[in-house]
Amino acid sequence: METVAPFLWIALLAAVLAIPGLAFLLGTGRRHRQDRWRLRPVRRLIGLLLVALACVTALLAASVVQYVRLTTDAPVGTLAFSQNQPQQFVATLALNGREPRSYPLNGDAWQLDARVVRWRLPALLAGLPPIYRIERLSGRYEDPEQERTGARSVHDLREFPTPDIGSLKRRFGAWLRFVDVQYGSAAYLPMIDGARYRIFMDPRGALFARPDDARTEQLLREHGW
């Protein structure tokens, strides 16, 4: 059951809702003509509600496609740095399934942010694991005053223009009670010339990073980490 992608379960639910909804909305039934006339508005209303719920569920399924399943510590990607000037770096980010890309970052440390989605009953009974999506990469300063006034650098890492799970839950919360959205998992470490990090997400939805080689471990020790 855990090998089935979460969006397939949600898409199946959308289909299960849509089929009877369309039947109620478009069907005429085989009752007596007078009874059919009396029940037709009720059938249409029930069908309309089921079709609307199926549409919301289909939007949720489309949004879940962007996310990655969590069952163990999941490797997210690697991050390497080269320094141009003081507090100015070029970060090369290689996320799993994507081509490496370079991003200019200002500051003393990097920060990678992700959104994690956990499920409530009855979705847990279907074996749906937590899922996550990497959302942004940014630079940060050690000095809070410089963080407030310094040059900011933030890069959006979302690739697909699909509906956001959080906005769907806020708008259709009464229908999507099995979705539990957690806003916020982030990892940050110093930006050092020549440093390389490997990034992971644990099963509880915590983003963390480790040095990717012995040289990076030595650089972190030299910088007091």
Side-chain angles (χ1 to χ4, degrees), residues 73-74 76 110 185-187 198-202 206-210:
D73 285 352
V76 173
W110 59 270
S185 183
R198 188 167 294 276
I199 307 157
F200 299 86
M201 180 78 74
D202 73 15
L207 197 66
F208 65 96
R210 294 172 177 155

Side-chain angles (χ1 to χ4, degrees), residues 106-202:
N106 300 319
D108 304 301
W110 59 270
Q111 178 170 315
L112 194 66
D113 297 284
R115 175 173 299 183
V116 179
V117 177
R118 292 180 178 273
W119 308 99
R120 299 174 179 172
L121 293 174
L124 290 176
L125 296 178
L128 297 186
I131 55 177
Y132 74 92
R133 179 180 69 180
I134 303 299
E135 296 212 316
R136 64 169 61 185
L137 174 67
S138 59
R140 51 181 289 168
Y141 297 90
E142 292 182 357
D143 182 6
E145 179 63 22
Q146 192 175 11
E147 179 71 18
R148 187 178 67 85
T149 60
R152 299 291 299 161
S153 52
V154 180
H155 303 281
D156 189 350
L157 302 179
R158 297 169 298 180
E159 289 193 331
F160 303 102
T162 53
D164 177 77
I165 292 180
S167 63
L168 288 176
K169 181 173 174 58
R170 289 192 297 272
R171 182 171 299 182
F172 307 106
W175 290 355
L176 298 178
R177 295 186 181 275
F178 57 90
V179 177
D180 184 12
V181 181
Q182 294 190 356
Y183 294 91
S185 183
Y188 73 92
L189 280 172
M191 290 190 288
I192 307 173
D193 189 30
R196 290 182 55 87
Y197 300 99
R198 188 167 294 276
I199 307 157
F200 299 86
M201 180 78 74
D202 73 15

Side-chain angles (χ1 to χ4, degrees), residues 5-7 10 59-68 119 131 162-163 165:
F7 82 92
I10 302 172
L59 288 175
L60 178 63
S63 182
V64 167
V65 172
Q66 303 178 64
Y67 289 73
V68 180
W119 308 99
I131 55 177
T162 53
I165 292 180

